[in-house]
Amino acid sequence: MVRTRFAPSPTGYLHIGGARTALFSWAYARKMGGTFVLRIEDTDLERSTQASVQAILDGMAWLGIDWDEGPYYQMQRMQRYKAVVDQMLEEGHAYYCYASKDELEAMREAQKARGEKPRYDGRWRPEAGKTLPPPPAGVTPVIRFKTPREGEVTFHDMIKGPITVANAELDDLVIVRGDGVPTYNFGVVVDDWDMGITHVIRGDDHVNNTPRQINILLALGAPIPTYAHVPMILGQDGERLSKRHGAVSVLQYRDEGYLPEALLNYLARLGWSHGDDEKFDLKQFVEWFDVGHVSHSAARFDASKLSWLNQQYLKEADNARLAELVQPFLQAQGIDTKGRAELPGLIGLVKERVNTVEELADGLHIYFRQALAAVDELRAKLPQTALPAFAQLRASLTEVAWEAPALSQLLKDTATAHGLKMGQIGMPLRLILFGTAQTPAIDQILALLGREEILRRFDAAWPHAQAVVA
């Protein structure tokens, strides 16, 4: 059975690259009827935080990437790592290294001076016929893996194809630090082995780690997973993705008003495609997904394309759901719309014009908080000759049936009676009631807000309008 995993380090938030890796691993497990495991690799004691753990869990929950097992935490598995490394020491696959930091730095500097690649020179590596000095006093050793000196490691990457690395290119990496905490390359090997991971889908910044990990797995007699290294995500300018490109926490996208299904859809298209299909749901993605179709080259993050995709999902979203999502944004503007029955209807009119829920809130606030129109715009849109038409309109609004068709007919009849075009009634009325000429269909807005609110707004703004035009 296929078993995949997502194994983030809790040293920061769940970012775009990590979310895409999680999505691909999750989708492959779902496609193959397998198991998706969540593992928190928290052995970086200086940088790992509980806040980061929670940000990762919250980000995955918001996106809807669920896991079947876990989360497992490496720091809760220390006894297991110790047992495995003790076995490796006993079998001669690992050894203690007493080289100090100063010694190692001097060694690297000397290698650089000779034009050599900096690497551990094996000074504490036990060899037949080699006599090691006695361990120096006061030095806490690390434990290194005894990398084979001969041969090579070959593996077939599901994305990149066959990769071969000579063992002579690999030095003896540290697998356990002086404080007894395993390094990444050792902890991940033991975890993948114990958790029965069959397919490792991760970023291609780990390609160089893979031959090292395979050598450790071979030393342990453990099965070798199938690897797939996903190319990185770049900014539109071709540079490494950073905050200025949009490489922020996925929860920041939530806080900026993006829908999780839109972000997931966009992430799925970053480096993977199914023909020309741009928009699809998770169920369809799982059905189509094939790791072998992931691009060999880096993807480019396009914020404008994400905004476009989010707009498509907003248009289709249930208005009641959007009413819940928009509440925090409106409250941040000092507007409490709880209990306002007209909110979903207003959303249905406004959402066609916006890209995010945050923009939706911006587009809605004029219907809950009245603003006076700019003087210059009123003068341009409301000629003095139209004032009698608006006086008649105000009187008629008290009697007309309060529904969109009747209100639309009233506006047309008023314009006709005074020899005006519809725009000469509709535009100034928008300015009087909402402070802007940019609104959806005026008859529908009037119908939704109700007679009492519209008359209140008209009476509050009309003296200002008259004074400006006079």
Side-chain angles (χ1 to χ4, degrees):
M1 178 180 287
V2 167
R3 290 174 62 85
T4 67
R5 48 74 161 178
F6 177 52
S9 175
T11 55
Y13 45 72
L14 177 62
H15 54 77
I16 289 296
R20 184 187 63 166
T21 298
L23 175 62
F24 285 3
S25 296
W26 173 89
Y28 188 69
R30 294 288 176 266
K31 171 72 175 286
M32 305 304 293
T35 300
F36 178 60
V37 177
L38 176 60
R39 186 170 76 224
I40 305 296
E41 298 188 343
D42 55 351
T43 56
D44 186 340
L45 301 182
E46 291 185 2
R47 299 170 59 217
S48 296
T49 67
Q50 186 56 43
S52 293
V53 171
Q54 196 58 52
I56 291 167
L57 299 180
D58 290 347
M60 293 184 68
W62 178 67
L63 288 171
I65 302 176
D66 58 336
W67 52 91
D68 304 303
E69 291 183 17
Y72 298 111
Y73 295 86
Q74 287 188 322
M75 289 306 294
Q76 296 175 5
R77 290 173 42 78
M78 297 300 291
Q79 289 302 313
R80 172 58 177 160
Y81 302 133
K82 184 178 185 306
V84 174
V85 82
D86 285 348
Q87 174 189 335
M88 294 177 70
L89 287 166
E90 183 178 341
E91 294 176 352
H93 296 301
Y95 61 92
Y96 289 105
C97 173
Y98 293 87
S100 67
K101 289 183 179 180
D102 289 342
E103 283 183 84
L104 294 173
E105 185 59 33
M107 176 193 72
R108 294 189 189 97
E109 289 302 320
Q111 290 169 336
K112 288 179 183 178
R114 295 192 299 268
E116 300 173 0
K117 177 182 176 181
R119 53 186 292 153
Y120 178 67
D121 61 5
R123 61 185 59 186
W124 284 94
R125 177 184 173 116
E127 301 281 9
K130 178 180 179 180
T131 301
L132 295 174
V139 176
T140 302
V142 298
I143 300 175
R144 291 183 180 271
F145 174 63
K146 193 175 182 181
T147 300
R149 291 274 175 85
E150 307 296 329
E152 58 190 24
V153 176
T154 296
F155 64 98
H156 184 85
D157 190 292
M158 294 177 73
I159 297 170
K160 297 178 178 295
I163 296 176
T164 297
V165 177
N167 284 326
E169 294 294 315
L170 308 173
D171 59 2
D172 291 357
L173 71 157
V174 175
I175 56 175
V176 178
R177 304 182 186 96
D179 59 4
V181 176
T183 60
Y184 165 75
N185 277 304
F186 181 59
V188 73
V189 162
V190 178
D191 292 341
D192 286 345
W193 179 25
D194 287 354
M195 297 172 191
I197 302 303
T198 62
H199 293 75
V200 174
I201 301 171
R202 58 189 179 187
D204 65 0
D205 53 331
H206 287 291
V207 168
N208 292 337
N209 291 323
T210 302
R212 299 173 182 275
Q213 293 170 12
I214 288 175
N215 272 330
I216 297 174
L217 286 164
L218 290 170
L220 293 170
I224 310 298
T226 299
Y227 293 92
H229 292 93
V230 182
M232 67 172 60
I233 303 173
L234 303 177
Q236 273 294 90
D237 55 5
E239 297 295 322
R240 189 178 181 87
L241 197 63
S242 64
K243 287 184 178 181
R244 66 188 175 87
H245 298 107
V248 295
S249 165
V250 297
L251 294 179
Q252 184 167 328
Y253 283 98
R254 176 198 65 185
D255 296 342
E256 291 177 358
Y258 288 83
L259 299 180
E261 58 267 37
L263 185 56
L264 277 175
N265 189 159
Y266 183 69
L267 290 177
R269 286 287 286 110
L270 275 179
W272 174 88
S273 63
H274 184 269
D276 295 327
D277 295 287
E278 292 285 351
K279 184 174 177 293
F280 42 82
D281 60 22
L282 269 186
K283 182 179 179 182
Q284 186 67 76
F285 173 54
V286 169
E287 182 180 327
W288 287 340
F289 186 65
D290 181 348
V291 178
H293 289 164
V294 173
S295 172
H296 294 200
S297 57
R300 297 207 178 197
F301 186 86
D302 185 344
S304 62
K305 196 165 187 178
L306 171 59
S307 292
W308 173 84
L309 195 56
N310 199 63
Q311 183 186 52
Q312 308 314 304
Y313 278 96
L314 278 173
K315 289 177 181 179
E316 297 176 359
D318 179 73
N319 292 339
R321 175 195 175 198
L322 293 179
E324 291 294 322
L325 294 176
V326 81
Q327 291 279 4
F329 294 97
L330 289 170
Q331 288 171 0
Q333 298 179 10
I335 300 170
D336 186 1
T337 60
K338 288 183 178 178
R340 298 289 292 267
E342 70 271 28
L343 180 58
L346 288 170
I347 286 172
L349 296 177
V350 175
K351 68 181 184 179
E352 297 282 333
R353 300 162 170 252
V354 300
N355 294 324
T356 67
V357 179
E358 185 173 35
E359 290 180 12
L360 179 62
D362 293 339
L364 286 169
H365 81 270
I366 59 171
Y367 306 115
F368 298 99
R369 178 184 290 158
Q370 187 170 8
L372 293 178
V375 170
D376 290 346
E377 194 167 13
L378 264 176
R379 283 180 180 151
K381 295 290 195 318
L382 180 60
Q384 194 169 19
T385 55
L387 295 182
F390 281 91
Q392 179 186 326
L393 178 62
R394 168 62 179 83
S396 300
L397 287 172
T398 62
E399 301 173 352
V400 67
W402 208 264
E403 54 189 26
L407 289 164
S408 176
Q409 191 60 49
L410 173 61
L411 296 178
K412 292 175 184 175
D413 292 344
T414 302
T416 300
H418 291 269
L420 301 171
K421 296 179 180 179
M422 262 302 292
Q424 292 175 298
I425 289 290
M427 287 296 182
L429 184 59
R430 287 179 169 90
L431 290 169
I432 292 165
L433 298 176
F434 308 113
T436 176
Q438 304 302 315
T439 76
I442 186 67
D443 55 345
Q444 296 182 53
I445 293 291
L446 296 179
L448 280 168
L449 289 183
R451 190 192 312 269
E452 182 180 347
E453 173 65 9
I454 292 303
L455 292 178
R456 184 197 67 75
R457 284 179 174 239
F458 192 101
D459 292 342
W462 184 236
H464 169 69
Q466 287 177 301
V468 166
V469 174

